[in-house]
Amino acid sequence: MDITLKKAAQRLLDADDILILSHRSPDGDTLGCASALLRGLHSLGKKARFLCSDPVPKKFAFLFAGVEEQVFEPGFIVSVDIADRQLFGKNLESYTEKVDLCLDHHGTNGDFAKERYVDAKASAACEILFQVLKEMQVTISSEIADCLFTGISTDTGCFRFGNVTPRTHRMAAELIELGAHAADINREMYDTKSRARLEVEKYVLQALTFHFDGKCAVLCLPASLVEELGVEEGDLDGVASMSRQVEGVLVGVTIREKEDGMLKVSLRTNPPMNASEICAEFGGGGHAAAAGCAFTGKTFDEVKGLLLEAIAKQMERCGL
Ligand SMILES: [Mn+2]
């Protein structure tokens, strides 16, 4: 059931022993939400802890620096930035039907929680968390401001994506006033590349294939790649947006093989193409510019064929 922001804040104020859940393959937004909420709840004297199906990538470890680890049986479960049941990931599967409150900004939210507050106009779930924490009268420390700023910055590609609104900038400004280290965070997120990351980019550049007169770029990443290149999972973050950087590309397709053989597809589009519509055909979802879906029991070529077919159809509808 949909509830107001005010009510969502009240639910958290009424609760204790709160378990916060982030989505699998966690990004800066889901982790920024979790760490900001964790810090906010602790500051109110509440017990709160955090779970994610996958480990926190090294570059986001600072979000949780100094946060006290607490052990308790959860009395209230809140999910942040989780759009759908399948995004809980393997280790959190048992929680999919137990979420009391869902805070999210995906218009396609799967409605798995008892109550939810979804604002699809928010560029990042951290925009929502900022409002919820203020509604709860939490004092926004510079640490909390850093967490929220990280989420907003990463989900907007450093304030460059189409999801950025005047409110996004106003909130970022307010967070900087509250002590967020904007330049440090942005440098760490965007300008600093590990050698491993450069290896990944080198691979991507030679592996990209182009289709439909260069309007579509496809990248296939085998599961063995991480080991072959000697890189970590986190080094692959954001590769899905690399293809869309190429001039003329309206659709960037990244197909990633997971350990269990599942093929995970990330779609990035520029207007008039719509990633969410294409992924919906295969049971996935997301935003207009960024969406995903998954296939099991299929080869790279089969998945590529299916997607190219769906993309061709949409291009035709768009008159491309
Ligand atoms: Mn998000």
Side-chain angles (χ1 to χ4, degrees):
M1 193 174 88
D2 288 294
I3 58 171
T4 61
L5 182 104
K6 228 184 163 77
K7 220 174 208 157
Q10 194 56 49
R11 291 286 185 264
L12 288 164
L13 285 174
D14 292 341
D16 205 350
D17 300 337
I18 298 159
L19 176 64
I20 305 166
L21 305 179
S22 277
H23 64 70
R24 71 174 186 210
S25 309
D27 59 13
D29 189 29
T30 197
L31 294 173
C33 287
S35 52
L37 185 55
L38 206 48
R39 291 173 189 278
L41 291 167
H42 285 175
S43 77
L44 297 176
K46 291 179 184 292
K47 276 201 237 154
R49 64 187 174 95
F50 156 73
L51 276 181
C52 181
S53 191
D54 300 309
V56 173
K58 238 183 2 213
K59 74 189 285 194
F60 295 121
F62 75 96
L63 296 170
F64 296 92
V67 174
E68 187 199 336
E69 295 237 11
Q70 299 181 327
V71 185
F72 57 83
E73 236 352 91
F76 187 88
I77 301 179
V78 52
S79 68
V80 288
D81 196 37
I82 301 185
D84 229 305
R85 286 177 176 83
Q86 68 188 42
L87 294 172
F88 281 74
K90 254 206 151 46
N91 298 319
L92 296 190
E93 259 169 16
S94 59
Y95 291 103
T96 50
E97 306 306 323
K98 293 183 186 156
V99 178
D100 294 291
L101 176 63
C102 158
L103 299 173
D104 188 28
H105 69 126
H106 297 87
T108 56
N109 185 276
D111 203 5
F112 50 81
K114 275 179 213 134
E115 294 183 313
R116 66 175 181 176
Y117 177 75
V118 180
D119 176 5
K121 288 199 189 77
S123 68
C126 275
E127 277 195 27
I128 297 168
L129 263 291
F130 190 17
Q131 297 171 81
V132 169
L133 290 172
K134 279 204 264 187
E135 186 66 39
M136 291 167 71
Q137 312 272 340
V138 165
T139 306
I140 309 292
S141 62
S142 69
E143 287 84 7
I144 293 178
D146 277 343
C147 298
L148 295 172
F149 186 90
T150 300
I152 294 173
S153 172
T154 51
D155 255 25
T156 59
C158 206
F159 305 92
R160 290 177 301 120
F161 297 162
N163 58 358
V164 172
T165 65
R167 184 178 76 178
T168 312
H169 281 291
R170 285 196 190 98
M171 284 191 175
E174 205 180 328
L175 288 168
I176 294 171
E177 281 169 349
L178 290 163
H181 300 79
D184 293 340
I185 290 169
N186 285 336
R187 189 178 55 247
E188 191 55 41
M189 294 298 127
Y190 306 104
D191 293 342
T192 309
K193 276 181 194 175
S194 62
R195 287 281 299 279
R197 173 65 186 193
L198 285 178
E199 289 300 323
V200 169
E201 294 190 1
K202 200 161 92 186
Y203 176 89
V204 169
L205 293 178
Q206 56 83 32
L208 270 179
T209 61
F210 294 91
H211 309 266
F212 308 127
D213 279 335
K215 290 190 192 72
C216 174
V218 180
L219 173 66
C220 295
L221 301 170
S224 57
L225 191 69
V226 168
E227 204 177 326
E228 251 166 60
L229 298 181
V231 302
E232 283 176 38
E233 280 292 312
D235 296 317
L236 291 170
D237 284 350
V239 285
S241 355
M242 279 183 70
S243 53
R244 207 179 45 174
Q245 292 171 355
V246 183
E247 187 180 18
V249 170
L250 295 176
V251 186
V253 182
T254 306
I255 310 171
R256 239 186 109 179
E257 183 189 9
K258 294 302 214 179
E259 296 302 326
D260 55 5
M262 184 178 80
L263 293 178
K264 203 185 144 202
V265 175
S266 302
L267 227 69
R268 298 290 183 271
T269 55
N270 288 330
M273 296 298 285
N274 184 310
S276 174
E277 277 176 21
I278 294 166
C279 288
E281 282 191 42
F282 305 104
H287 304 287
C293 54
F295 296 85
T296 41
K298 288 208 161 25
T299 65
F300 274 117
D301 280 340
E302 285 167 345
V303 169
K304 193 169 155 178
L306 286 170
L307 288 162
L308 287 177
E309 209 176 298
I311 290 163
K313 268 193 249 152
Q314 195 182 79
M315 282 187 169
E316 215 175 286
R317 280 200 298 276
C318 295
L320 291 165

